[in-house]
Every structure is written in structure tokens, then in C-alpha cells.
Amino acid sequence: MSPNFLAQNNSAPRITIAIIGAGFCGTMVATHLLRAKLGAAIDVVLINRPHQADDKADGNTAQTPMLARGLAYGTNSAAHLLNVPAARMSAFEDKPTDFLDFLHANQVAADGASFVARHWYGAYLQFTLDQAHAKASAASEASAASEARAEANSPLHVRHQTVASIHAINDNRYQLEFSDGEALGVDYVVLALGNFLPSNPHFVDPALAKSPHYIRDPWQAGALDKVDVKKPILLIGTGLTMFDVVGSLKARADTANVALQIHALSRRGLWPQPHRPQLSAAPHDVAPPDIATIPSARAYLRSVRAQIKNIVSRGGDWRDVLASMRPITPMLWRQLPLLEKRRFIRHVKPYWESHRHRAAPEILKVVKGCAERGEIVSNATRILDIQVLTGAAPMLEITHQPRNQLSPQNMTVATIINCTGPSSDISAEPLLCHLAESGMIRQDALKLGIEVAADYRVINAGGDCNHPIYYVGPLLKARDWEATAVPELRLHVEACVKACLAGIGGTIGK
């Protein structure tokens, strides 16, 4: 740590705000703090976990990752596209063209309806953070010269380390313990941990999980490069992750001039629905008018279906109904009793997600083309057993029970790729496990995330939230259900930062 890392101001102590996680949410929390109007000086500490190297044989155990990427935007593949049109991907609610302006400034041919490569969004977030940092640094220097600190922040401090634990210390402060033995005292903590790796399905035993035949994380750098595209491949899950994996494998197969042999299996066999080809603003008056009358999964489903039938009969689009529900989804979710939430997850969730989280037309065209040529076969089925077939070239025999059929079927594949999507179970994140064990946070009953108060403070084991520890990110799903797409997350980030700033007399900068 540099000697001036937490330099003290003569007139008042500096306030240290640690942000754990540097994906979309962590990057934008830091950006808003650096742009804020303050009555006190702060140190913004953005903590980004180092990546583990694929090959540790050479002694290289970690890599310094880029900021603002996370699981979603760390890919460099041109085949991995955003699932939201560019016009709706601004990081700022009050600057709707910000992302498009960035694309145009970088000579990217795109309009509001374009689904651009995801790496461009990571570059955009990095640029946004860098701009805020530069302005905050200039303001801090001017402030030091004039001793007028009202609208000046300290520069950003980035640490590429893993936070192992958090402990309360004197005066309602906290100490972060890093896995390398270092420690840092802070006044505020913002947990901005993003998506976790997919959970291993129950039929993946420990031996298979460690074998080269199974890929748990298709996003790991180089993971798909190891797949033999000349041999049969099983994809578990038929959602958006499956689409991305098929796009990557198809590009490799075309280069090798071979046809893919892909089996894509899920319990219901549902594929993501497509976005409409043209950008269209959804009307604001097409949400089901009676949706909140009865808080039950069945009543919600009936209400949505009836409204879609009504809107389509008048020449409208079913997508407008779902889009118009975005502002009221958190309220609808919160009013459901726990039993009804369980019913929704069991019976309605797959259909909701396949319609709500839609695919870019370009990648849908690739996957449909593979299906038409027989390169991918998708089935609604349940996997019963997996056996390793020994031999010169070991293969995997999959026993599965197709939906609405009496007899199980078998297939043989060389590789299994987990495409079930990110997990929200905190058991995937050691820091959150530690915080839960120490009683500092509480996982929700459905294991969708963690319990968070209205002002984004985490709720501890005793049900209290009178402490300066905040959370923003996809684990808000426990509270709000929809908390994964940028149009929702940017609002959550801004609200979380406002709550933090309220304690130090600050406001969001514009």
C-alpha cells in the first residue's frame, strides 16, 4: 500500500468506502461515488478478485483481470452478443444514448436496435469509470489547492485481491482481511459480487466434475477451445448460455470444416424467445390491469395470458406486456407468500425466463440453422445417470428420461458442458459463506440470494440492518425477482449509492 493511500485531511477524517466486486455493479458504484457531490472527502477502494491461471505448472497462480468485465462482459468472442438492444444499455438512466455515443465514437456501426458484441460493453464500462476517475482526480487536486472540498473526491484506488473475511472493529468500522494476509480498515462496505458459476447438477458426481469430459464454466478463458468439435457434445440447459456456447462451437466447427453433433437437454426443452427485429418502445398502459388482485402464481399466470391475448388481438405484441411489467415485478414478487413463490419457481419460472430473457436475432439464427441441419438436437428430458465408458478414447453414456415417454433412452457423448446459467446460491462464494456463518448476512429461504433492506443494507442473522454494509447485484433476486439486466441494475446501483451518500451528506452527481 502506498504511503498516501489513506492520507488524512487536516480538517476532517476521510471516509473509506470499499466496493467488493468490479463487474457492472461494482464499476458503476465506484463511478457514481467518484461523480458525487460531497461534504466530506472519501477514498473509493474498488476490489477486483484476481483470476486463477489455467495452468499452474509454471508457478503462475493468478492473473490481474481487467475491470468492468465480470462474468458477462469478459468474453472477447464476436459471437457473444448483448441480449438487450444497444439503445437500452446506457449505464445511466438519465443519459439514454450514452452507450450508443460510445459505440459511435469508437467507429462501431450500430443503431439503437443493434445487439453488439459483449466485449464492447466491458470497454464502455471501463471508459466510464476512467472518465469519472480523471475528473475526480482533477477536482481533488483543485480542492487541495483551494481547501474547498464540497464537491471533490479522492481518486480511485484499485486492489486486485480476494477478500476472505470481514470483521467489525471499533466505532462501527470494519476490517477487510485479504487472502494474502493484508488487511484494510473501512467505514462502508458495498458488496457488489456478481454472478456465480453454474451449480453442478445432481447427476454430476465429484469424479465427473473433475474430469476433462465435463466443463462447469463455459466462460473460463479457453474452456471451449479444448472441446473436440468432431465428437458428440452434450449441453445441459437450453437457455441463453446454450446459445452462446453453440455460437462459439459453430465458429470452431466451420473453421475445421466439420458438422457439429450437439444434444441440448433441459427439463422442458424451452429455448429463449427472440427479440423483435425492430426497436420499439413498449406502451405504458398494457400491464395486466388485474395482475395484483390475487397474490398467487396461478392468478399471475392467468392475468398475463389474458392480457397477452387481448393485446395481440388488437395488433399488439406479447413482448409489450412483459416489458410493461418491469416496474411492477418487484412489488408482485414481494406480495407472494413463500408457498406461492415456490410454486412460481417450480411451474412458471422456465416459461417466464424463456420469454422475459430473450435472444438476439443474430444468435438465434445461428442456433436455428444448426437445428435445421441436424447439428443440434434439443429435447425435454431428465438425466438419470452418467457412466464413463473406458477404452482408447473414453466416452460418456447418458441415460435420460424424455418428457412424456415411458422408456429411458441412452446417448453417448465425449464432452458435457454446463449451460444452466449462473447460480445464485451463496455456497458458490466463500466470502458470502463466511459472512453467513458469522451472522453478518442472511440467505433467503429460496436460496435466490441474500436478504437486503429497502435501502440496500444487508439484513443480518438477527434481522437487523443498522450497519454500513450494502449489497447491490443479481442476488437482489431474493427481494425483487428481476435483478439481472442492465435496465434494472443501473437503477439499483444508483439507489444503493444514494443510500450510502445519505450517511455522509452527499448526493448523486449528474
Side-chain angles (χ1 to χ4, degrees):
M1 187 183 302
S2 60
N4 63 347
F5 178 63
L6 295 180
Q8 297 294 309
N9 185 281
N10 292 331
S11 59
R14 300 176 75 86
I15 296 170
T16 304
I17 302 177
I19 306 163
I20 304 175
F24 173 84
C25 289
T27 298
M28 289 311 301
V29 168
T31 297
H32 280 297
L33 288 173
L34 292 168
R35 288 159 46 97
K37 298 180 179 181
L38 299 169
I42 64 173
D43 285 296
V44 179
V45 186
L46 182 58
I47 302 168
N48 194 26
R49 191 203 314 268
H51 290 164
Q52 294 301 310
D54 293 335
D55 184 5
K56 298 182 177 61
D58 61 356
N60 182 22
T61 59
Q63 303 168 343
T64 298
M66 294 183 292
L67 298 176
R69 298 314 194 268
L71 197 62
Y73 311 121
T75 175
N76 288 318
S77 173
H80 295 163
L81 307 179
L82 293 172
N83 296 314
V84 178
R88 295 175 183 158
M89 286 295 288
S90 171
F92 303 97
E93 180 74 10
D94 60 345
K95 295 164 58 177
T97 66
D98 199 53
F99 180 49
L100 267 178
D101 292 343
F102 169 82
L103 292 174
H104 295 159
N106 285 273
Q107 286 78 53
V108 179
D111 58 27
S114 299
F115 296 85
V116 301
R118 287 209 291 269
H119 67 80
W120 278 113
Y121 201 71
Y124 162 65
L125 294 178
Q126 179 74 68
F127 171 78
T128 302
L129 177 65
D130 290 344
Q131 274 196 321
H133 185 196
K135 291 180 180 179
S137 298
S140 182
E141 292 175 3
S143 172
S146 65
E147 297 185 356
R149 299 181 299 110
E151 296 188 9
N153 291 359
S154 70
L156 173 70
H157 308 282
V158 177
R159 298 180 69 140
H160 295 285
Q161 294 172 284
T162 299
V163 179
S165 61
I166 302 174
H167 303 282
I169 54 179
N170 295 333
D171 301 323
N172 206 27
R173 300 185 81 239
Y174 291 86
Q175 181 163 290
L176 309 186
E177 302 283 350
F178 297 97
S179 58
D180 59 9
E182 286 196 43
L184 174 68
V186 302
D187 300 282
Y188 288 77
V189 177
V190 179
L191 299 171
L193 299 160
N195 291 311
F196 304 147
L197 297 181
S199 297
N200 285 327
H202 67 88
F203 47 79
V204 175
D205 62 28
L208 178 59
K210 295 178 181 179
S211 93
H213 297 287
Y214 174 70
I215 297 175
R216 176 185 178 184
D217 177 16
W219 305 114
Q220 184 181 25
L224 298 181
D225 295 339
K226 304 172 185 176
V227 177
D228 189 343
V229 294
K230 299 177 183 178
K231 296 180 178 180
I233 301 164
L234 171 60
L235 307 185
I236 303 171
T238 56
L240 291 172
T241 301
M242 182 270 278
F243 276 34
D244 284 341
V245 170
V246 170
S248 296
L249 295 177
K250 179 58 178 171
R252 289 191 53 225
D254 286 349
T255 300
N257 196 28
V258 299
L260 290 171
Q261 307 169 65
I262 292 178
H263 301 274
L265 307 182
S266 66
R267 293 296 294 272
R268 291 176 176 81
L270 299 174
W271 285 16
Q273 293 293 310
H275 281 283
R276 72 186 95 201
Q278 304 88 21
L279 187 67
S280 175
H284 295 288
D285 59 349
V286 298
D290 61 344
I291 186 72
T293 304
I294 302 175
S296 76
R298 186 186 298 272
Y300 285 179
L301 182 59
R302 285 176 175 170
S303 180
V304 171
R305 282 177 168 170
Q307 182 67 343
I308 287 176
K309 183 178 181 180
N310 174 40
I311 294 302
V312 171
S313 70
R314 293 190 279 145
D317 193 301
W318 61 266
R319 297 170 184 82
D320 292 336
V321 177
L322 267 64
S324 70
M325 291 177 62
R326 295 181 88 147
I328 62 174
T329 296
M331 177 272 292
L332 295 172
W333 179 250
R334 292 171 200 168
Q335 75 175 14
L336 283 179
L338 181 60
L339 177 61
E340 289 300 323
K341 288 180 178 178
R342 293 187 190 277
R343 285 176 174 157
F344 181 91
I345 290 172
R346 181 174 178 81
H347 300 291
V348 182
K349 175 188 172 186
Y351 300 94
W352 170 263
E353 292 193 337
S354 66
H355 288 76
R356 173 67 180 80
H357 302 290
R358 300 186 286 276
E362 295 90 337
I363 187 62
L364 182 64
K365 181 178 180 181
V366 171
V367 179
K368 280 191 171 183
C370 288
E372 291 167 358
R373 291 186 296 272
E375 292 183 275
I376 179 170
V377 176
S378 179
N379 287 300
T381 191
R382 179 167 55 94
I383 294 178
L384 303 177
D385 186 47
I386 300 177
Q387 295 290 330
V388 178
L389 302 177
T390 58
M395 301 284 279
L396 300 171
E397 184 177 65
I398 315 297
T399 303
H400 63 102
Q401 178 66 62
R403 198 175 183 89
N404 300 322
Q405 293 189 25
L406 296 177
S407 301
Q409 295 183 4
N410 292 328
M411 69 174 67
T412 303
V413 301
T415 305
I416 298 175
I417 304 175
N418 189 335
C419 298
T420 57
S423 167
S424 58
D425 190 338
I426 66 171
S427 63
E429 172 49 56
L431 174 60
L432 294 183
C433 289
H434 157 75
L435 295 178
E437 290 168 0
S438 63
M440 296 178 73
I441 65 171
R442 187 166 69 184
Q443 188 173 30
D444 71 297
L446 299 174
K447 294 188 176 181
L448 297 175
I450 61 176
E451 296 187 2
V452 179
D455 66 354
Y456 296 85
R457 295 177 192 248
V458 299
I459 297 173
N460 65 22
D464 297 325
C465 55
N466 187 26
H467 46 249
I469 301 181
Y470 299 78
Y471 175 81
V472 63
L475 298 187
L476 289 171
K477 188 173 187 177
R479 188 190 75 179
D480 298 337
W481 182 249
E482 285 292 336
T484 56
V486 165
E488 279 83 31
L489 286 176
R490 66 189 177 195
L491 297 177
H492 287 306
V493 166
E494 187 167 335
C496 179
V497 173
K498 285 181 179 178
C500 291
L501 291 172
I504 55 178
T507 59
I508 289 279
K510 299 296 182 183

